[in-house]
Amino acid sequence: MHTQTSNSNTIKQVSALLKQARHIAVLSGAGMSTESGIPDFRSAGGLWTRDMSLAEAVSIDYFRANPAEFWHTFKSIFSIKLVGNYQANQGHQFLQWLESQGKRVRILTQNIDGLHQRAGSRDVVELHGSLMKAVCPNCQSYYDLQYIREHPVPLCLKCKQVIKPDVVLYGEPVPHIDLAFSCAAEVDCLLVMGSSLEVSPVNFIPRISMDHQIPTVLINLSSTRMDRGFSHVIHAGIGASCEALLQEMNRA
Ligand code: NAD
């Protein structure tokens, strides 16, 4: 659907679109947080290219079969001890700024790092859960990041069972997906940022906006299989793109 234009023309068009929109949905992926120092899965040097068995390692089957080994691998993949030190970047801040302009901005994020909330965004739907908590599969008691950090294999204090990170593991259903689908069908504009759009069912979200003739924007370093369906595509970094959009929106 989108025509090939230079990024600077696209920035003008997208900034006009965002200025006009009152209700914006944002679908963010791991590329949103790489400029904060958290590697994504599929870029060169990303977690996926370093270890092809990652999908198995963060699966519900592996957790159930070998919860202690699971925690060891999980902590090394997500460097969980460091999570608290990451800072929101220009991209996260831009979305908070849009909200501060009186727009309703609902963020549907695949990220589990809590950085949208740290930037001050108030309406964040964590489609794949959060690294900040873990839950007992038996009694549903929640434990915080400090408890997770302190115990190599964290156990529920009541049930003595190994607790599960509050993230959606491979093989588990995505709890808020229906909310995301209905949001994608009713907004004025959908902005997708930093996602390869390879993970299902989240990658149906843009398709729903497209089917409802809602303008769609993709900001991503590399191409995705869905590029052609978007109204506007910016192939550039999140920080540089958001800086350009901010300047253009303030100028116009
Ligand atoms: P992905 O790794 O499959 O794709 C990331 C995309 O972002 C790539 O296409 C890449 O080109 C792009 N990208 C990387 N840096 C960018 C930048 N600075 N500016 C613009 N684009 C950039 O990520 P995904 O689509 O979110 O799917 C991976 C899964 O991994 C998700 O389910 C997510 O839960 C999980 N994950 C989360 C985190 C996190 O919470 N920060 C980190 C790694 C993986």
Side-chain angles (χ1 to χ4, degrees):
M1 192 201 286
H2 85 99
T3 46
Q4 199 66 39
T5 49
S6 72
N7 272 354
S8 68
N9 277 342
T10 313
I11 290 287
K12 285 200 174 86
Q13 291 161 358
V14 173
S15 98
L17 184 63
L18 292 177
K19 254 196 138 167
Q20 231 178 10
R22 287 164 41 168
H23 187 187
I24 300 168
V26 179
L27 170 60
S28 67
M32 185 90 210
S33 296
T34 55
E35 292 173 26
S36 295
I38 304 176
D40 62 8
F41 270 179
R42 289 181 181 80
S43 292
L47 294 166
W48 197 270
T49 51
R50 281 193 271 151
D51 184 354
M52 287 305 286
S53 67
L54 202 63
E56 272 172 63
V58 286
S59 69
I60 186 68
D61 289 345
Y62 186 47
F63 173 78
R64 285 190 183 131
N66 201 339
E69 266 304 304
F70 169 90
W71 268 107
H72 178 72
T73 316
F74 186 82
K75 286 191 175 193
S76 71
I77 291 170
F78 291 104
S79 310
I80 205 163
K81 288 180 194 143
L82 296 171
V83 152
N85 299 330
Y86 291 117
Q87 298 304 322
N89 63 43
Q90 266 180 309
H92 302 101
Q93 285 155 5
F94 175 69
L95 299 180
Q96 193 281 328
W97 176 80
L98 283 177
E99 198 178 313
S100 75
Q101 301 304 295
K103 296 176 189 299
R104 197 172 149 205
V105 181
R106 167 161 282 176
I107 301 175
L108 310 166
T109 188
Q110 298 172 82
N111 295 341
I112 53 180
D113 54 32
L115 288 182
H116 286 297
Q117 293 91 328
R118 191 167 289 189
S121 286
R122 286 176 303 175
D123 188 356
V124 182
V125 181
E126 293 181 308
L127 294 167
H128 290 166
S130 168
L131 265 185
M132 306 297 149
K133 290 174 283 166
V135 60
C136 172
N138 188 45
C139 72
Q140 311 301 318
S141 298
Y142 277 89
Y143 293 86
D144 64 11
L145 188 60
Q146 192 185 343
Y147 184 80
I148 299 168
R149 278 195 192 123
E150 283 168 4
H151 300 83
V153 179
L155 297 180
C156 176
L157 292 170
K158 295 174 206 153
C159 309
K160 307 297 174 212
Q161 280 208 17
V162 179
I163 55 178
K164 185 185 103 51
D166 195 30
V167 302
V168 177
L169 301 176
Y170 282 89
E172 288 192 297
V174 175
H176 304 298
I177 197 69
D178 288 340
L179 173 69
F181 287 164
S182 53
C183 175
E186 67 185 28
V187 286
D188 300 326
C189 166
L190 174 79
L191 186 54
V192 178
M193 301 173 82
S195 178
S196 62
L197 296 173
E198 290 291 329
V199 178
S200 167
V202 163
N203 58 2
F204 289 115
I205 293 171
R207 172 60 52 206
I208 289 174
S209 295
M210 290 167 192
D211 288 349
H212 284 77
Q213 319 297 327
I214 290 168
T216 49
V217 179
L218 173 70
I219 305 176
N220 205 57
L221 274 181
S222 55
S223 338
T224 75
R225 281 188 242 209
M226 296 179 68
D227 278 20
R228 273 202 231 167
F230 279 86
S231 324
H232 306 282
V233 174
I234 299 171
H235 282 150
I238 297 284
S241 305
C242 290
E243 176 62 33
L245 285 170
L246 185 65
Q247 276 183 22
E248 187 61 37
M249 287 178 78
N250 277 330
R251 186 184 359 239

